[in-house]
Amino acid sequence: MYKASPNRRAILEKSKSVREKEAKQTSNFFAKHLKRIYPITLQRSTSSSFSLSSISLSLSQNSTDSSATDSTSTLEQRISLALGLISSPRRRETFVPKTIPQQQDRRLYEDFKSDEPKRCNWITKKSDEVYVTFHDQQWGVPVYDDNLLFEFLAMSGMLMDYNWTEILKRKELFREAFCEFDPNLVANMGEKEITEIASNKAIMLQESRVRCIVDNARCITKVVKEFGSFSSYMWGFMDYKPIINKFKYSRNVPLRSPKAEIISKDMIKRGFRFVGPVIVHSFMQAAGLTIDHLVDCFRHGDCVSLAERPWRHI
């Protein structure tokens, strides 16, 4: 049997001592900094230097997923992921773990890495860019321009046939067809113009919908004569202040509201068409008469600030 010389044994023992010291320092560093994210206590395990079962609870959606992770993931993979998450922002941008063993871990890593702002949860990674832009720039911003209010009213009525994404993709076509939604110009459209718009396959609007928009433009011109502007008429129902809701979950956001019921009844009396409470509420949300961004959405505070400007309505 091979026997190491005294000098060789001394060197090996010294090397072993250095490795144990480094391992202890790494253990203390890991336990110290991991608490920045996970309020847990790392415990010794007979099978490894650390017990990461409690971490897997944070990296998974439930305890069942966690158990599966414990049985299939290696300690090295978990430490690699956790150290990446607690690294500095600059380092985090370039950190890519060699393997991300579980789907839940991968989803957590992607969410942590993302610099995207927090949005209403109906905006997802699959949402079309035009819809995301509408949410980020227009939806919920208080509107006081007659033409834009008319445009939002017309598009809200189209929700009976299409969703917002489909409507927004054709927005420029609608603007061109309906003269930038100038109520005076649309109100003067005759049968020829109505037929041309309805027959345009790119616009994809039934003739009844086109006639509805033209009829509503005529109603707006009458409202302007009485109230001075369509904006004054609409905002008068709100006492010139939008309703600021603080919904936390999308399930709390209503499809209609008491205020929408009141506005709908008055508009119907004045001859407006396709202005039921649900359509009116959608119009109110888009035009910022009611702010229905979820409270944790980055646009909620922005829209509230715009709504609270002292010169907001002219």
Side-chain angles (χ1 to χ4, degrees):
M1 180 182 293
Y2 171 77
K3 254 189 172 182
S5 65
N7 290 339
R8 176 63 175 168
R9 283 199 300 271
I11 293 173
L12 290 175
E13 289 176 0
K14 183 177 180 180
S15 176
K16 180 179 179 181
S17 177
V18 170
R19 286 198 304 271
E20 289 177 349
K21 183 177 180 181
E22 289 178 347
K24 185 176 181 180
Q25 290 176 345
T26 302
S27 169
N28 293 337
F29 173 85
F30 183 73
K32 175 183 177 182
H33 291 280
L34 194 60
K35 290 181 181 180
R36 296 178 185 176
I37 298 177
Y38 304 106
I40 59 175
T41 301
L42 294 175
Q43 299 178 358
R44 296 286 178 181
S45 171
T46 56
S47 59
S48 64
S49 299
F50 302 108
S51 174
L52 297 181
S53 59
S54 53
I55 296 180
S56 66
L57 290 174
S58 300
L59 297 180
S60 305
Q61 292 194 357
N62 53 52
S63 58
T64 303
D65 294 338
S66 175
S67 299
T69 303
D70 287 338
S71 62
T72 59
S73 303
T74 66
L75 176 64
E76 180 183 358
Q77 290 168 337
R78 292 176 176 281
I79 294 177
S80 176
L81 176 62
L83 286 176
L85 294 179
I86 65 175
S87 60
S88 64
R90 179 174 296 180
R91 180 182 174 189
R92 191 181 304 130
E93 291 175 359
T94 58
F95 169 76
V96 179
K98 294 180 180 179
T99 56
I100 303 179
Q102 291 295 320
Q103 184 177 359
Q104 290 81 8
D105 293 357
R106 184 182 296 108
R107 187 161 55 243
L108 174 65
Y109 171 70
E110 291 297 331
D111 290 344
F112 200 97
K113 179 184 68 173
S114 175
D115 291 329
E116 287 291 312
K118 177 69 175 178
R119 295 183 173 92
C120 298
N121 59 16
W122 51 84
I123 300 294
T124 68
K125 292 182 179 180
K126 294 183 179 180
S127 296
D128 193 280
E129 183 178 351
V130 70
Y131 185 46
V132 177
T133 300
F134 177 60
H135 168 275
D136 290 357
Q137 298 180 6
Q138 289 186 292
W139 196 78
V141 174
V143 174
Y144 307 102
D145 178 78
D146 279 10
N147 290 20
L148 190 52
L149 285 169
F150 178 31
E151 177 180 306
F152 278 138
L153 180 65
M155 291 196 298
S156 297
M158 296 176 195
L159 290 171
M160 296 181 67
D161 301 312
Y162 305 104
N163 59 41
W164 272 117
T165 298
E166 295 168 329
I167 294 169
L168 293 168
K169 285 184 175 180
R170 303 199 298 277
K171 182 174 66 175
E172 294 305 321
L173 293 176
F174 296 143
R175 286 179 172 176
E176 182 179 351
F178 293 105
C179 309
E180 300 297 321
F181 286 96
D182 184 321
N184 294 310
L185 297 178
V186 177
N188 289 321
M189 283 184 174
E191 288 298 319
K192 181 180 179 181
E193 290 88 350
I194 292 174
T195 302
E196 287 179 354
I197 295 173
S199 61
N200 189 326
K201 294 183 179 180
I203 294 177
M204 295 174 60
L205 279 183
Q206 298 178 9
E207 185 175 322
S208 60
R209 294 287 185 266
V210 178
R211 291 187 181 278
C212 168
I213 293 173
V214 173
D215 289 344
N216 285 347
R218 292 167 182 165
C219 291
I220 289 175
T221 58
K222 294 178 182 178
V223 165
V224 171
K225 291 179 181 178
E226 182 177 349
F227 293 88
S229 69
F230 184 45
S231 175
S232 295
Y233 167 70
M234 294 304 309
W235 282 99
F237 288 104
M238 316 301 298
D239 195 23
Y240 300 96
K241 296 178 183 178
I243 297 173
I244 300 175
N245 291 311
K246 297 181 179 180
F247 299 123
K248 187 175 182 180
Y249 305 105
S250 57
R251 63 176 178 268
N252 300 135
V253 181
L255 292 175
R256 56 200 293 168
S257 64
K259 187 66 70 174
E261 299 271 2
I262 294 172
I263 296 175
S264 173
K265 288 180 180 179
D266 192 82
M267 293 184 78
I268 291 172
K269 286 182 181 179
R270 294 177 182 276
F272 284 88
R273 299 172 56 198
F274 290 104
V275 287
V278 175
I279 290 177
V280 169
H281 188 71
S282 295
F283 162 73
M284 292 171 64
Q285 291 174 317
L289 279 81
T290 180
I291 296 176
D292 279 354
H293 283 285
L294 301 183
V295 289
D296 60 351
C297 174
F298 83 104
R299 288 298 291 162
H300 184 274
D302 294 343
C303 291
V304 169
S305 296
L306 291 171
E308 292 178 343
R309 295 173 300 178
W311 46 271
R312 60 186 177 273
H313 187 270
I314 301 176

